[in-house]
Amino acid sequence: VIWHTQGSGKSLTMMYLVRACYHDPELRGYKIVFITDRRDLQEQLNETSKSVGFTVNVAQNIEHLKSLLSTNTPDLVMGIVHKFQERELKKAFPVLNESEKILVMIDEAHRTQYKLLGANLRKALPNSIKIAFTGTPIEKTELTFGEYIDKYTIKQALEDGVTVEIVYEGRAHDADLINEDELDKKFIDVFHLADSEDKKILNKYTWKAYLEHEKVIRHKAKDMVDHYVKHVFPNRFKAQVVAASRLAAIRYKHALEEALKDKIIQLEKENFPREDIELLKRLRVEAIISGSANDPPEWKEYTDPDKHEIIIKSFKLPFDKTDESGVIGDVGIIVVQSMLLTGFDAPIEQVMYLDNVIKEHNLLQAIARVNRIYKGKSCGFVVDYVGVIKHLREALSVYAEEDIEEIESVVKNKAKSLDELKFVSNEIDNFFDKYEVENWREKNEECVDLLADEEIRDEFISLIRRFNRAMDAVLPDPEALKYVKDLKILNFIKQSASNRYRDEKLSLKDASRKIREIVEEYLISKGINPKIPPTPLLDEKFIQEIN
């Protein structure tokens, strides 16, 4: 088993292994088989597999898979695990190849390897070597595949900068339940009710119908839009909403659109930046759900796979970008029920609004949607409307205690973000004390002089990046306001040092848009425009830069 944290490049690890095999005289003669459980994962791996050396063959159907696996050709075969079955129920899946020179690499091995399909795979290739790759192992993983070859943990990925931390926030409060005995106790944590009206609704419905209720959805949709506009949209990131059912997902799409219209009217009265308002007017909310034969006709637009593909492309693009096929990145909020919760890779997504009970490894898979790195992204947000965080320790119960502590340390409560801001602020004070700069807030020039030493400069850069990220995670919470003055002064020192020492690491480029907007206005008032880089007088582009 290889446990490779979600979002930290598992498919790349698989490809490096394939390439290493190709360049090894003995292993070059092996047939390598990639097994995934979804078409989009297969497409992702196929895209990543270019230039690995082996010929790549993608199985198009069950018979094609059998044909590819029956040969001893040293190639790379890709197949979806669902092809390991016969169309005729009474027919047993055959043994396809008894060679020992077959390496089977199974992606997302926590899902489909423990029932009929997994048994058929083992029967088909009985003597093959099997390596299970997973970002969220379950108890059966180790029992089935053996011990871990290697672990690349969540904390390691965070420290290496290949993922960002996840900030958790619960947006509902506890309330007494009416007719509690009638409810399914497994879902008791769903009922974190906001007001007495919600309790009346609960009295009449099951937990699922409660989460589908239009009034409840409208109430939460308004809160989601408020949170999105304050915390996420300023940096131009995007959002995913997880609903309790397909019906709830459709209702959420309409409720979010209405809430967004109301929010824009409110922002226009508050003199919100015109550029932001115009972009919000163009922002699209879309729903993506699976379809079935008995769906109402009006659901077809939400279940169309071709439309799904365009929506996903748009969601992954920045708002101001258009791809080569003409798709515009105007989808800002995407609503799902079960689709796009595992294996979906959209680094531009910063927040997941959870309004469905998700448990076990599915919970870890889901929240990992927001941990991908992206320029200016300090953290990912999980905003919980049903209390799923209570299931986190249960989801982690299959891991060793030290692994649990690691994961829980990465999924931080929002209150811990403020603690981090206070801590880094104190570290900055200690930094200047260490180098005997007294009252650094008043002695900006002395601070810039101090940064002439490159080692000291690198120490300062690291602290400022942490401070900026912590501010980005907390703003616009009023608790962050007391640190705004320090934010401006520190970045003024940073930009002044950048201009003096011509050190690109000191620029504001690595700060989020939210932070830059606060800082740039202050810098310009102090005589520095960070948008204009220092340009030597004799540079041939001097006039162009000045213009």
Side-chain angles (χ1 to χ4, degrees):
V1 182
I2 294 178
W3 176 9
H4 202 314
T5 292
Q6 288 294 316
S8 58
K10 178 155 47 67
S11 59
L12 287 173
T13 301
M14 295 173 79
M15 290 306 162
Y16 287 135
L17 176 53
V18 173
R19 195 163 66 179
C21 288
Y22 183 77
H23 290 286
D24 183 282
E26 185 178 348
L27 297 176
R28 185 181 296 174
Y30 274 64
K31 176 184 285 293
I32 297 180
V33 183
F34 267 11
I35 302 296
T36 68
D37 66 348
R38 286 198 328 282
R39 187 167 282 105
D40 57 346
L41 275 176
Q42 180 174 283
E43 288 170 1
Q44 181 184 327
L45 284 170
N46 191 22
E47 185 65 28
T48 316
S49 70
K50 292 171 181 174
S51 75
V52 292
F54 288 97
T55 301
V56 180
N57 294 304
V58 180
Q60 301 302 321
N61 51 50
I62 293 173
E63 294 308 315
H64 188 213
L65 176 73
K66 288 179 181 177
S67 171
L68 291 171
L69 294 182
S70 296
T71 73
N72 289 321
T73 311
D75 56 2
L76 173 57
V77 176
M78 290 192 176
I80 295 173
V81 72
H82 301 94
K83 291 185 171 68
F84 283 89
Q85 59 182 310
E86 294 290 356
R87 295 200 183 279
E88 298 174 32
L89 292 177
K90 294 180 180 178
K91 194 174 176 184
F93 201 80
V95 175
L96 296 175
N97 196 325
E98 296 185 78
S99 171
E100 295 180 355
K101 299 186 76 172
I102 300 174
L103 171 61
V104 180
M105 299 168 69
I106 300 162
D107 194 19
E108 304 295 358
H110 53 272
R111 282 200 285 264
T112 50
Q113 290 301 310
Y114 313 109
K115 295 179 183 176
L116 176 65
L117 298 173
N120 285 344
L121 167 59
R122 283 166 180 72
K123 180 182 177 184
L125 307 171
N127 301 315
S128 61
I129 299 159
K130 300 170 189 69
I131 300 181
F133 285 78
T134 178
T136 50
I138 61 177
E139 197 168 5
K140 290 179 181 176
T141 308
E142 201 170 353
L143 291 173
T144 304
F145 291 97
E147 63 188 30
Y148 289 101
I149 296 171
D150 188 59
K151 293 180 183 179
Y152 185 62
T153 65
I154 291 178
K155 195 170 184 181
Q156 283 177 287
L158 185 62
E159 288 171 350
D160 287 347
V162 293
T163 61
V164 296
E165 70 183 11
I166 299 168
V167 176
Y168 168 83
E169 182 180 358
R171 299 286 283 192
H173 64 270
D174 291 319
D176 293 331
L177 297 178
I178 304 169
N179 295 340
E180 186 174 314
D181 292 341
E182 297 174 13
L183 302 170
D184 182 347
K185 297 297 187 293
K186 277 174 66 179
F187 299 101
I188 218 71
D189 51 14
V190 169
F191 306 106
H192 284 224
L193 306 178
D195 55 39
S196 59
E197 186 65 27
D198 283 347
K199 283 187 258 182
K200 290 176 187 174
I201 296 168
L202 170 60
N203 223 1
K204 300 176 184 176
Y205 298 98
T206 64
W207 71 272
K208 189 173 178 184
Y210 168 77
L211 293 178
E212 289 178 339
H213 196 280
E214 290 188 79
K215 184 261 177 187
V216 175
I217 286 174
R218 282 198 305 272
H219 177 80
K220 292 177 181 177
K222 180 182 181 301
D223 191 64
M224 290 173 188
V225 167
D226 285 342
H227 181 277
Y228 176 74
V229 171
K230 284 179 186 175
H231 293 270
V232 179
F233 177 73
N235 286 335
R236 301 300 189 256
F237 294 130
K238 301 192 177 185
Q240 186 172 1
V241 177
V242 183
S245 68
R246 296 185 303 146
L247 174 61
I250 293 169
R251 287 178 172 172
Y252 255 117
K253 170 182 159 56
H254 300 307
L256 288 162
E257 287 173 336
E258 286 303 313
L260 194 56
K261 285 178 188 174
D262 292 342
K263 188 68 179 177
I264 290 169
I265 292 169
Q266 176 195 331
L267 294 174
E268 286 180 321
K269 293 175 182 175
E270 295 174 359
N271 295 319
F272 203 65
R274 176 49 52 185
E275 176 195 347
D276 288 10
I277 288 175
E278 291 305 317
L279 191 55
L280 281 171
K281 285 180 177 178
R282 297 197 300 273
L283 185 149
R284 285 164 53 210
V285 180
E286 294 289 355
I288 288 185
I289 58 174
S290 56
S292 71
N294 300 320
D295 286 344
E298 60 269 24
W299 285 21
K300 183 165 176 49
E301 63 174 303
Y302 310 115
T303 62
D304 182 348
D306 293 334
K307 192 173 180 185
H308 289 174
E309 189 178 337
I310 296 168
I311 290 169
I312 291 168
K313 276 186 182 180
S314 175
F315 183 76
K316 290 183 175 184
L317 285 170
F319 284 108
D320 58 349
K321 292 286 189 263
T322 303
D323 73 3
E324 63 282 354
S325 63
V327 174
I328 304 167
D330 55 358
V331 174
I333 302 174
I334 199 164
V335 188
V336 301
Q337 186 234 335
S338 57
M339 297 182 73
L340 309 186
L341 292 184
T342 56
F344 177 56
D345 193 21
I348 201 168
E349 179 183 333
Q350 188 181 30
V351 61
M352 174 173 281
Y353 297 107
L354 276 175
D355 198 33
N356 190 13
V357 176
I358 308 175
K359 294 191 172 188
E360 299 172 349
H361 66 274
N362 292 319
L363 173 58
L364 295 176
Q365 286 272 338
I367 64 177
R369 295 314 100 213
V370 298
N371 79 342
R372 282 21 180 196
I373 54 170
Y374 196 84
K375 185 179 179 182
K377 185 174 171 182
S378 60
C379 64
F381 295 109
V382 172
V383 183
D384 177 11
Y385 290 86
V386 291
V388 295
I389 201 68
K390 293 182 180 181
H391 300 300
L392 186 58
R393 180 159 279 275
E394 181 185 328
L396 301 175
S397 62
V398 299
Y399 306 128
E401 191 62 34
E402 62 269 23
D403 296 331
I404 293 174
E405 289 170 6
E406 265 201 3
I407 296 169
E408 288 186 331
S409 72
V410 173
V411 182
K412 294 169 52 175
N413 193 288
K414 188 182 176 185
K416 290 184 181 176
S417 297
L418 186 56
D419 290 342
E420 170 73 5
L421 180 55
K422 292 174 183 174
F423 180 76
V424 179
S425 176
N426 190 54
E427 292 240 295
I428 289 168
D429 288 336
N430 293 339
F431 167 81
F432 286 114
D433 286 344
K434 181 171 73 173
Y435 293 109
E436 300 178 348
V437 178
E438 295 179 6
N439 197 9
W440 62 266
R441 291 169 181 84
E442 304 295 329
K443 298 181 179 177
N444 299 167
E445 280 299 314
E446 197 173 322
C447 295
V448 176
D449 294 343
L450 171 68
L451 301 181
D453 183 288
E454 190 171 359
E455 281 191 21
I456 296 174
R457 199 156 71 228
D458 287 343
E459 189 180 347
F460 175 78
I461 289 167
S462 176
L463 282 170
I464 297 307
R465 283 176 178 167
R466 283 174 59 199
F467 185 75
N468 286 349
R469 284 198 299 268
M471 281 291 285
D472 185 72
V474 175
L475 281 168
D477 192 299
E479 287 292 322
L481 295 178
K482 64 183 79 168
Y483 298 95
V484 168
K485 183 179 177 184
D486 284 359
L487 177 75
K488 293 176 178 178
I489 293 170
L490 287 166
N491 282 282
F492 170 71
I493 293 167
K494 185 183 180 190
Q495 191 66 43
S496 299
S498 174
N499 291 355
R500 185 185 297 184
Y501 303 119
R502 300 292 192 268
D503 189 338
E504 271 296 304
K505 297 194 297 292
L506 284 160
S507 75
L508 276 175
K509 288 178 183 176
D510 60 351
S512 72
R513 190 174 182 277
K514 195 193 298 184
I515 296 301
R516 288 202 309 271
E517 283 185 351
I518 295 170
V519 170
E520 283 175 355
E521 186 180 345
Y522 177 77
L523 291 178
I524 290 168
S525 74
K526 298 283 283 185
I528 295 177
N529 190 335
K531 294 179 181 177
I532 302 175
T535 308
L537 281 169
L538 300 179
D539 193 306
E540 60 183 28
K541 294 182 180 177
F542 178 75
I543 298 299
Q544 181 184 333
E545 290 285 356
I546 295 304
N547 286 336

